[in-house]
Amino acid sequence: MLFNKKITPDCAYCSHGTLIGEGEVACVKKGVSQEGLSCGKFDYDPLKRVPDFVLSVPKTDLKPEDFEL
């Protein structure tokens, strides 16, 4: 769920933090920290979080002619 209220705080998807490298987050409030940590100023930004699941497209027998007008 992208907008789950019970999300575990993480600096990687906080509105105060920005990913700067491999596992590092630059935070306006805390400075440079490791991804996976959080502080009391955590403010969830849903646009920074990448969902864990991947949707698969069902395979069908479509042909290029099916997409022509």
Side-chain angles (χ1 to χ4, degrees):
M1 292 182 176
L2 189 60
F3 298 100
N4 189 356
K5 296 278 185 188
K6 297 177 184 176
I7 192 152
T8 305
D10 188 344
C11 288
Y13 44 84
C14 176
S15 65
H16 303 294
T18 304
L19 287 172
I20 57 172
E22 296 178 15
E24 292 185 334
V25 179
C27 179
V28 176
K29 304 286 183 180
K30 193 175 176 182
V32 177
S33 65
Q34 296 295 319
E35 187 176 2
L37 301 177
S38 67
C39 66
K41 300 289 183 178
F42 177 75
D43 183 30
Y44 179 56
D45 185 358
L47 298 178
K48 290 186 178 181
R49 187 167 164 260
V50 178
D52 295 333
F53 62 90
V54 177
L55 296 175
S56 62
V57 178
K59 295 182 180 181
T60 59
D61 296 328
L62 295 176
K63 301 172 191 138
E65 297 84 32
D66 295 334
F67 297 98
E68 292 179 1
L69 294 176

